[in-house]
Amino acid sequence: MNHPNWMGDLLVSRPNFGNLKINQVMLPGTHDSGTFRIGAPTQGDHTARTQSLSFAEQLELGVRYFDLRVKLGNSAYYPYHGPWTSDSDLCRKGDNPDDPNNKLQFKQMRDFLKQHPKEIIILKFQGFLDFTSDQDYYDFVELLKNYFTFPGCNLVTLAHGTAAKINQQTVNSLLAANKRVFLFFDKTNVPQQKKVWDFAFQYLPTLKKLNLGLWDPYWREENANIADDNIDLTIRWWPFHQRNLTKWSHDGIFVLQSHMQQLPGKESDAYFNISEQAAAANYYMNTDPKGNLIRNNARNIAKYIEWYNAGIWLNVVTFDFIQHGDVCDAIVNNYLNTVLLK
């Protein structure tokens, strides 16, 4: 089921939702969000694609957080993952966001935000491959400003250098100021200039950086050999998340990643790769009908909601192939049913 206006709908049916801080809201997110046009089933390496829905489809489903690695080539900014690149451009230098013939990915996001004026999204960028000059970064920021600034929508701009400023923003306060799009940039190699950082928040993709605007602990920094079984699920994987949530100071945005290990290869024509097969809970189905997997979307979102309802402060939860496991349904329905918001 799609939830294109779930934040706006909750503001009507559950007005207390608007009083939640933005980093207190459980937001559905996607890992490597722009990989839906990367690779092909006939190619040997199937690990690069982690989504099969376009940005427009992800937004309609209910996704509000996007994880993007960006490459520049021939004046186009487009997603990549490892050695693989997408043929679906995010934007191009010199774009006109109001051009009706513009079908690029940021234009699709812009159109969605115009149609759904109470939705807030977070865009996190890293990699910046083949950005060969400072001007390439400046041009990219200008494009982001152009695409996501229009009547009723602006980029979120706050005093930078302190994650606590993000912690002060509620859903209501952001919408009242028309601040609906957060930008986060991996600060590695990005020029330290106001023309960038007046519009984007800094983060570093490392486990221990707690003092920046966003923290997304990566499981491989702790252990690269988490196995795909029930033992590691309960003894190592979920406890890994719980330890990080305990360390989180509740400043800035916290991202809980649900893509737990690399699963190379392809096993079934019903799925693009084994990762999708795992997310859909059909991998190892003969031995465990519930999905004997760390990667299983339904199993993970059920556990995260259990924590959330027990009073553990969760924020962004990211998944591969997010259409599997009813992730967005589970989050929205939990808000509709929780005592907190009634």
Side-chain angles (χ1 to χ4, degrees):
M1 181 176 178
N2 282 348
H3 299 278
N5 200 54
W6 69 267
M7 300 181 82
D9 289 344
L10 283 175
L11 288 168
V12 175
S13 65
R14 302 290 187 272
N16 287 341
F17 175 76
N19 298 326
L20 293 177
K21 297 174 181 179
I22 192 63
N23 64 353
Q24 198 176 11
V25 178
M26 185 181 284
L27 295 169
T30 47
H31 163 237
D32 273 308
S33 310
T35 58
F36 49 88
R37 293 287 296 272
I38 285 179
T42 57
Q43 295 173 332
D45 185 345
H46 300 88
T47 61
R49 183 182 294 190
T50 65
Q51 306 298 332
S52 54
L53 301 182
S54 70
F55 289 149
E57 291 169 329
Q58 291 178 43
L59 285 163
E60 289 286 331
L61 186 68
V63 171
R64 296 296 177 265
Y65 172 91
F66 296 83
D67 165 49
L68 296 160
R69 290 153 180 79
V70 184
K71 184 174 181 177
L72 174 62
N74 297 320
S75 296
Y77 297 92
Y78 52 91
Y80 78 96
H81 188 194
W84 302 95
T85 57
S86 172
D87 63 356
S88 185
D89 296 347
L90 299 170
C91 57
R92 291 177 172 273
K93 292 189 178 188
D95 275 354
N96 177 2
D98 293 316
D99 183 349
N101 296 315
N102 183 339
K103 307 298 183 185
L104 300 179
Q105 295 301 317
F106 284 166
K107 178 62 160 61
Q108 294 181 28
M109 287 185 164
R110 175 187 172 93
D111 290 345
F112 176 87
L113 291 170
K114 284 187 172 183
Q115 295 163 11
H116 303 281
K118 299 298 183 181
E119 304 303 298
I120 297 168
I121 66 172
I122 300 173
L123 307 179
K124 188 207 75 174
F125 298 95
Q126 67 185 82
F128 301 112
L129 190 62
D130 294 336
F131 283 50
T132 58
S133 70
D134 289 357
Q135 191 61 47
D136 291 335
Y137 293 95
Y138 304 152
D139 291 345
F140 187 55
V141 172
E142 282 300 312
L143 284 164
L144 287 163
K145 289 165 58 180
N146 291 340
Y147 271 102
F148 298 114
T149 302
F150 52 85
C153 183
N154 293 291
L155 298 177
V156 179
T157 54
L158 303 168
H160 287 65
T162 170
K165 293 291 184 181
I166 297 172
N167 189 29
Q168 297 170 17
Q169 311 307 308
T170 66
V171 174
N172 279 338
S173 68
L174 289 167
L175 291 174
N178 295 325
K179 293 181 176 181
R180 299 173 54 206
V181 181
F182 282 89
L183 303 180
F184 289 91
F185 281 12
D186 173 2
K187 62 180 291 188
T188 308
N189 298 324
V190 177
Q192 298 301 303
Q193 298 292 329
K194 287 176 61 64
K195 62 179 68 177
V196 174
W197 299 116
D198 277 356
F199 304 97
F201 296 91
Q202 297 184 357
Y203 96 101
L204 282 170
T206 58
L207 183 64
K208 304 300 182 184
K209 296 293 182 182
L210 306 181
N211 59 335
L212 298 176
L214 180 146
W215 184 32
D216 58 342
Y218 182 34
W219 59 271
R220 291 195 75 179
E221 292 171 350
E222 179 163 302
N223 194 309
N225 298 306
I226 295 178
D228 202 18
D229 57 31
N230 272 338
I231 294 175
D232 268 5
L233 182 73
T234 57
I235 295 178
R236 297 169 65 192
W237 178 239
W238 285 339
F240 166 78
H241 288 319
Q242 290 172 311
R243 286 194 301 275
N244 291 327
L245 287 166
T246 300
K247 295 175 186 176
W248 181 35
S249 63
H250 298 163
D251 285 345
I253 300 296
F254 182 92
V255 180
L256 190 158
Q257 302 187 23
S258 300
H259 32 90
M260 305 68 189
Q261 76 282 68
Q262 295 175 345
L263 299 176
K266 180 176 173 64
E267 213 175 58
S268 167
D269 289 338
Y271 303 98
F272 184 83
N273 54 24
I274 292 179
S275 294
E276 182 178 10
Q277 198 171 340
N282 289 328
Y283 185 54
Y284 295 155
M285 200 60 131
N286 293 334
T287 59
D288 186 350
K290 295 182 179 179
N292 185 19
L293 283 164
I294 292 175
R295 267 187 180 269
N296 177 257
N297 285 0
R299 178 173 285 189
N300 278 309
I301 191 58
K303 178 58 68 173
Y304 304 156
I305 286 175
E306 177 187 317
W307 293 344
Y308 190 75
N309 290 347
I312 297 175
W313 195 330
L314 271 73
N315 192 195
V316 176
V317 288
T318 60
F319 294 82
D320 285 348
F321 299 100
I322 196 169
Q323 73 271 27
H324 297 300
D326 298 324
V327 170
C328 294
D329 283 350
I331 291 173
V332 174
N333 288 336
N334 187 58
Y335 276 122
L336 289 172
N337 296 323
T338 183
V339 174
L340 171 68
L341 298 182
K342 289 183 178 179

